[in-house]
Amino acid sequence: LKITEINAERFLHDGGLDSTQRYFLTAANARNKIVVVDTKESKLVSIVDTEGQTPHPGRGANIIHPTYGPVWATSHLGDDTVALIGTDPEGHPEYAWKMVQQLYALGGGSLFVKSHPGSEHLYVDATLNPDAETSGSVAVFNVSDLAQEEPEYTVLPIVEWANIAEGQ
């Protein structure tokens, strides 16, 4: 067992690995930042301002952006934004460890973003939205549309489809 201390930011909460499984990105949510740690070298790589209110990535989501290459996504507890951070220092060094795009989803606060290596979609919940219909829905972005200036999303009304009664 090895313990390594790295001076980063306060109140690291949750996070996940980039697509190469080398870099760990974790939320310093009281600071509105994402901390990037190189797990191979055991050192701080970057601290990225997400420009959103309280990042909350869960594990985050890895997708291949049509312009910026491999990116990692986090949503935010306090607003409708999703920050996309470049994660490819070798293939796309000009975008690495920078917020390359901000998306706008359903709003009211999100807990998790999800995707899958075989998927062309990015899923963003709205669990903290005060409107029951919205909080029971998920915004789905088509990854190939992310090159647009303001990409649109499709709303999946999950709670409605599941016939969950009021008060979910």
Side-chain angles (χ1 to χ4, degrees):
L1 180 65
K2 177 183 172 185
I3 297 174
T4 303
E5 289 189 31
I6 300 171
N7 288 330
E9 264 292 356
R10 294 190 308 182
F11 312 119
L12 299 180
H13 179 60
D14 58 357
L17 295 166
D18 77 313
S19 61
T20 68
Q21 312 251 331
R22 176 175 178 168
Y23 300 97
F24 182 69
L25 293 90
T26 184
N29 56 18
R31 302 287 197 178
N32 303 333
K33 298 186 185 328
I34 293 293
V35 172
V36 182
V37 175
D38 183 335
T39 62
K40 184 176 180 183
E41 301 291 328
S42 297
K43 66 179 188 178
L44 177 69
V45 173
S46 183
I47 299 175
V48 182
D49 188 334
T50 64
E51 299 180 15
Q53 186 179 347
T54 313
H56 192 279
R59 291 186 310 255
N62 291 296
I63 58 175
I64 305 297
H65 192 284
T67 304
Y68 306 112
V71 299
W72 183 85
T74 182
S75 56
H76 295 83
L77 292 175
D79 62 33
D80 60 347
T81 63
V82 177
L84 301 182
I85 298 170
T87 61
D88 186 11
E90 293 179 17
H92 297 83
E94 68 275 27
Y95 305 125
W97 319 128
K98 297 175 184 161
M99 189 180 83
V100 295
Q101 187 174 12
Q102 188 173 65
L103 307 175
Y104 296 91
L106 293 169
S110 172
L111 290 177
F112 302 106
V113 291
K114 296 292 175 205
S115 191
H116 182 274
S119 174
E120 287 295 317
H121 299 96
L122 175 66
Y123 298 84
V124 183
D125 72 12
T127 306
L128 301 178
N129 192 297
D131 176 67
E133 183 178 334
T134 303
S135 72
S137 299
V138 175
V140 182
F141 291 90
N142 188 322
V143 172
S144 63
D145 293 342
L146 295 181
Q148 298 174 7
E149 188 172 323
E150 292 185 30
E152 295 183 8
Y153 55 82
T154 301
V155 176
L156 303 182
I158 304 298
V159 168
E160 178 186 321
W161 291 345
N163 290 320
I164 296 175
E166 194 173 322
Q168 74 269 13

